[in-house]
Amino acid sequence: MTSPKSARTRERRELILQSAANLMAERGYPSVSMTQIGAAAGIVGSAVYRHFDSKSTILGTLLDRVVKTMLTGTREAVASGRTGIDLLDTMVLTQTRTAIENRSLVAVYLRDAGNLPVDDLRSLRRQQRQLIEEWVFQCEAISPYASESELRTVVQAVLALINSVCTYDNPLPADQQVASLSRMASGALRAGLG
């Protein structure tokens, strides 16, 4: 059974992460201080250090979380039993939902991943490669005569299309964004696979 103190600690940690994600998405990683993160989370900046030893640790935690969420969603789509273009449509929809639901994290990922320490960035890139490889593998089933470079280009373009919506404030409701963006990304994927 979880103690009330550990539950509060977990809640505070999540609040710090959410506050940091929102601030970093709005202002950029270099422009956000631990004091600002603490204030946004309703605590003093020095209290943030009880949960995270540095701002780069917060950034690493945020980016690791979003890439793992994308990778898990893709793997679950693949395990769903769907095949062919139906599977790819499911992967697109899953990726789009993940991006919209994690808008701040994706925006921070796109803009600020280069601010990670070298080892953390290497780990993040390894997970990103796993995500891309899964997409390329599934695209090969649809377009077996395309070269790996062609498929990788298509996958990168489709993922960039999906993630691009996270870099600006979109007034559409989330469900409309998911529907519209999924339709466009699926169309781009079909066109790219010939």
Side-chain angles (χ1 to χ4, degrees):
M1 182 157 193
T2 305
S3 73
K5 183 178 179 181
S6 64
R8 279 193 309 274
T9 299
R10 194 169 44 256
E11 288 171 13
R12 178 64 53 88
R13 183 178 165 87
E14 286 304 311
L15 182 57
I16 291 167
L17 288 170
Q18 187 59 53
S19 299
N22 292 338
L23 286 171
M24 289 177 191
E26 179 185 322
R27 303 176 189 172
Y29 172 82
S31 299
V32 175
S33 69
M34 292 290 265
T35 300
Q36 292 167 328
I37 293 169
I43 59 175
V44 296
S46 60
V48 176
Y49 288 99
R50 290 188 198 122
H51 303 276
F52 299 96
D53 62 2
S54 68
K55 188 171 76 164
S56 67
T57 302
I58 293 173
L59 179 64
T61 302
L62 291 171
L63 300 186
D64 182 67
R65 178 177 286 182
V66 74
V67 173
K68 279 185 177 163
T69 300
M70 291 176 182
L71 191 53
T72 298
T74 296
R75 288 177 173 160
E76 287 172 357
V78 169
S80 70
R82 291 179 174 86
T83 58
I85 202 71
D86 186 39
L87 171 58
L88 293 178
D89 285 343
T90 300
M91 290 169 65
V92 164
L93 181 61
T94 300
Q95 181 73 20
T96 304
R97 279 194 186 125
T98 299
I100 298 301
E101 289 170 2
N102 297 278
R103 174 185 300 278
S104 293
L105 291 178
V106 174
V108 172
Y109 171 77
L110 293 172
R111 184 180 52 226
D112 292 315
N115 290 303
L116 285 172
V118 173
D119 288 342
D120 292 344
L121 183 59
R122 191 174 296 128
S123 174
L124 188 71
R125 295 293 188 227
R126 186 173 30 254
Q127 290 179 70
Q128 184 183 26
R129 279 191 302 275
Q130 291 172 357
L131 176 69
I132 301 295
E133 293 305 319
E134 187 64 59
W135 278 74
V136 168
F137 180 77
Q138 298 305 326
C139 287
E140 285 175 333
I142 300 294
S143 192
Y145 299 109
S147 71
E148 183 179 340
S149 296
E150 290 170 320
L151 295 175
R152 191 171 301 280
T153 299
V154 170
V155 167
Q156 292 279 11
V158 168
L159 294 178
L161 169 67
I162 292 168
N163 292 336
S164 69
V165 75
C166 298
T167 60
Y168 67 95
D169 188 23
N170 190 322
L172 288 175
D175 60 337
Q176 287 182 14
Q177 290 181 54
V178 169
S180 178
L181 197 54
S182 294
R183 215 172 20 256
M184 286 187 284
S186 287
L189 188 57
R190 282 175 168 80
L193 296 177

